[in-house]
Amino acid sequence: TVRTDPLRVIEAVVAGVAPMTPLRVQPLTYDTGVGEQRTAALDDGSRVSLNTDTHVTVSFARDERAVALDRGQAVFDVAHDAARPFVVVAGDERIKALGTSFIVRRDGDRVRVTLLTGKVEVTRKSGLLAVLSPGERITATPDAVPILDRPLLDSLTAWRHGELRFRDTPLSEAVA
């Protein structure tokens, strides 16, 4: 009879399986300082354009592509991958997209999501907030009813071309 140590058997099995099982990749962080902008190409073919004073953490797994927007504003141009949804978490809001382009802006507890093309679903723990159509924006804060509107997209994306455009905007909001 041959006696085998059960721990060694488990180690051998794990060693043999581990190379075949993709593990969660180390999260990547992208930052911009005040006045700085940056565009990053992600491993899945998606692109993220960060506006000034923005911080995101990208964490891709086998079953989901996740981005946490801690502060600032970013445009997400998402590569389609039906098997791995692309999700942006900003505050209490969770934005899920497949093959789309959208803007997320986070100022403290206020989150604004604007859909440029495609389709996104905006949820929070309490449930679905909205499914946006191109040109729609939802503004959400933890203690208020979300507001749905249709802003001027040229104004929202002007920063990508080195411009700022405001119309009927309070100075305090424009400065922020």
Side-chain angles (χ1 to χ4, degrees):
T1 43
V2 176
R3 293 190 153 198
T4 309
D5 180 3
L7 184 57
R8 294 216 185 272
V9 171
I10 292 171
E11 287 174 350
V13 169
V14 170
V17 172
M20 298 183 303
T21 307
L23 299 175
R24 185 173 293 270
V25 177
Q26 182 70 23
L28 299 172
T29 59
Y30 298 95
D31 290 286
T32 55
V34 174
E36 180 184 12
Q37 296 174 348
R38 176 181 182 187
T39 298
L42 305 181
D43 290 342
D44 70 336
S46 299
R47 295 175 60 84
V48 58
S49 299
L50 284 68
N51 200 354
T52 181
D53 195 26
T54 298
H55 177 82
V56 299
T57 303
V58 177
S59 180
F60 286 176
R62 195 169 54 178
D63 60 342
E64 183 178 77
R65 300 170 290 167
V67 177
L69 176 66
D70 297 317
R71 72 172 184 278
Q73 180 177 17
V75 175
F76 298 92
D77 296 304
V78 180
H80 181 74
D81 184 348
R84 291 182 352 162
F86 191 97
V87 176
V88 177
V89 177
D92 291 338
E93 280 59 55
R94 180 178 165 91
I95 303 99
K96 182 178 177 182
L98 288 172
T100 190
S101 180
F102 60 100
I103 304 167
V104 181
R105 180 177 180 96
R106 181 174 181 191
D107 296 308
D109 287 341
R110 182 175 66 179
V111 174
R112 291 181 175 166
V113 179
T114 307
L115 183 60
L116 301 174
T117 62
K119 188 176 185 180
V120 295
E121 178 182 89
V122 182
T123 61
R124 63 169 57 142
K125 289 179 185 176
S126 60
L128 179 67
L129 295 182
V131 177
L132 299 181
S133 296
E136 290 184 326
R137 172 178 66 186
I138 188 167
T139 302
T141 56
D143 300 325
V145 175
I147 299 168
L148 190 64
D149 68 344
R150 295 185 77 75
L152 296 173
L153 296 181
D154 288 350
S155 296
L156 294 180
T157 58
W159 63 268
R160 295 178 82 180
H161 311 290
E163 299 176 10
L164 296 175
R165 296 182 190 172
F166 299 102
R167 174 182 263 167
D168 299 325
T169 305
L171 183 58
S172 61
E173 193 173 314
V175 169

